[in-house]
Amino acid sequence: MNLDSTSKGTLYVDITKNPEDLIKKTSFKVCQVLYRNVEEIPNVEMVKYTVSDYNGISAKGGIPPVINISFSSGYLEKKYNVTNRDTLQLLNEIVGVLSHELTHAYQWDDGDRYSEIGGVIEGIADAVRTLLGYKDYNSKKPGGSYKDAYSTSAFFFVWIERNIQKDFIYKLNQSMLPDDGVKWTWKQVEIITGTPVEKLWEQYQNEMHLDLI
């Protein structure tokens, strides 16, 4: 639903062409990363997507079967000016943001423990966005912590996926099932990969430093 009748709201429609179809296609791609069988996917029956002019970028609310996602037309207009009206770049940004929020719609969260483990949840969402090609993995930089969420955690997860453990993102998401009787901790990374997360982080950091030499 587009609640912005100004040029900013029109810009979103002009770029996406068919917003409903875009949501369906992006949902499918997200689920291909997060799951291996249809039976594993949470029962999301409806995604209520709203475009409006507000301070921010995008946000997800609700729980399956009904998910709410908002997107800021004001943010889109700012990107429109920054990218010198590059509509392809803007479409990629829209889909990238959408893939992050749809990951939140479909991923597990260890029984609604976001306040405790939000870092890994946000890291998974940005990792899915990266694996789908809507976040530049080559923009990663040394430093920080694997717990820092968003890009910092995401690029680390993608590195593990590509270099250490195939299907890591899938297995990491599965380790956060709400009814498996296990309270999620970073120890799960070692269970999945066979290596403590601290050692993996050290190896990842060392490789980035070598790339900069």
Side-chain angles (χ1 to χ4, degrees):
M1 180 183 298
N2 194 334
L3 302 180
D4 188 351
S5 60
T6 70
S7 59
K8 288 176 283 189
T10 302
L11 177 62
Y12 177 85
V13 176
D14 289 343
I15 292 172
T16 58
K17 306 300 182 187
N18 188 335
E20 184 175 342
D21 186 57
L22 185 66
I23 293 171
K24 290 179 180 179
K25 288 180 177 178
T26 307
S27 295
F28 180 74
K29 290 179 181 179
V30 164
C31 288
Q32 281 186 308
V33 176
L34 288 177
Y35 299 101
R36 295 297 171 265
N37 300 298
V38 174
E39 293 78 13
E40 296 174 328
I41 303 173
N43 182 35
V44 176
E45 296 179 359
M46 180 182 296
V47 175
K48 295 182 178 179
Y49 190 86
T50 303
V51 178
S52 61
D53 188 6
Y54 69 95
N55 292 326
I57 301 175
S58 186
K60 170 261 177 185
I63 58 174
V66 180
I67 299 296
N68 302 301
I69 296 177
S70 61
F71 183 75
S72 171
S73 56
Y75 169 74
L76 182 62
E77 184 182 53
K78 291 176 183 177
K79 295 294 288 187
Y80 183 66
N81 295 325
V82 169
T83 61
N84 197 27
R85 303 182 180 185
D86 185 335
T87 55
L88 179 57
Q89 190 173 342
L90 286 168
L91 179 60
N92 286 338
E93 178 67 10
I94 289 171
V95 179
V97 171
L98 179 60
S99 65
H100 177 105
E101 302 300 349
L102 284 172
T103 298
H104 286 326
Y106 285 98
Q107 72 185 142
W108 299 116
D109 59 6
D110 203 42
D112 195 22
R113 291 183 60 223
Y114 184 90
S115 62
E116 300 171 71
I117 57 173
V120 67
I121 291 171
E122 295 293 351
I124 291 173
D126 259 8
V128 172
R129 177 176 178 174
T130 303
L131 289 171
L132 292 179
Y134 297 107
K135 199 171 189 68
D136 183 10
Y137 177 74
N138 293 321
S139 67
K140 62 187 184 299
K141 298 177 182 178
S145 165
Y146 58 84
K147 298 179 181 180
D148 282 347
Y150 298 103
S151 296
T152 303
S153 299
F155 293 151
F156 176 49
F157 296 163
V158 171
W159 175 81
I160 295 175
E161 171 106 8
R162 291 175 174 173
N163 298 278
I164 305 297
Q165 178 69 58
K166 182 181 178 181
D167 287 340
F168 175 72
I169 303 301
Y170 163 71
K171 293 175 181 177
L172 187 61
N173 182 52
Q174 289 296 107
S175 74
M176 304 179 79
L177 287 166
D179 54 358
D180 61 0
V182 179
K183 189 174 182 179
W184 196 92
T185 68
W186 285 96
K187 179 72 174 178
Q188 290 296 325
V189 175
E190 180 177 355
I191 293 173
I192 294 169
T193 65
T195 304
V197 65
E198 292 83 3
K199 288 188 176 296
L200 289 171
W201 179 254
E202 181 180 1
Q203 183 181 344
Y204 169 65
Q205 292 292 308
N206 288 338
E207 287 191 13
M208 276 196 290
H209 282 293
L210 288 174
D211 289 340
L212 294 175
I213 297 176

